[in-house]
Amino acid sequence: MAKPIIIALILMLAGCSGIPRAPNVSSPCYANESSYECQLERYHNVNV
């Protein structure tokens, strides 16, 4: 009984992995990749 439920849960989770994430509109890189603010954000997020 538990085996079909576990298989169904795994299939549901696998289906969610292909959904694209929404773009981060608050990021300065959203508007302009070559801006100074975007370069600073990328520099600070290197180790994240």
Side-chain angles (χ1 to χ4, degrees):
M1 179 67 182
K3 200 172 199 178
I5 294 173
I6 292 173
I7 292 173
L9 287 174
I10 290 173
L11 289 175
M12 286 184 346
L13 289 174
C16 293
S17 64
I19 298 173
R21 293 177 24 179
N24 185 2
V25 183
S26 65
S27 171
C29 298
Y30 181 74
N32 188 1
E33 288 279 333
S34 61
S35 68
Y36 180 71
E37 291 82 11
C38 178
Q39 299 304 316
L40 280 177
E41 180 179 335
R42 295 208 188 269
Y43 176 76
H44 288 293
N45 291 338
V46 168
N47 294 326
V48 174

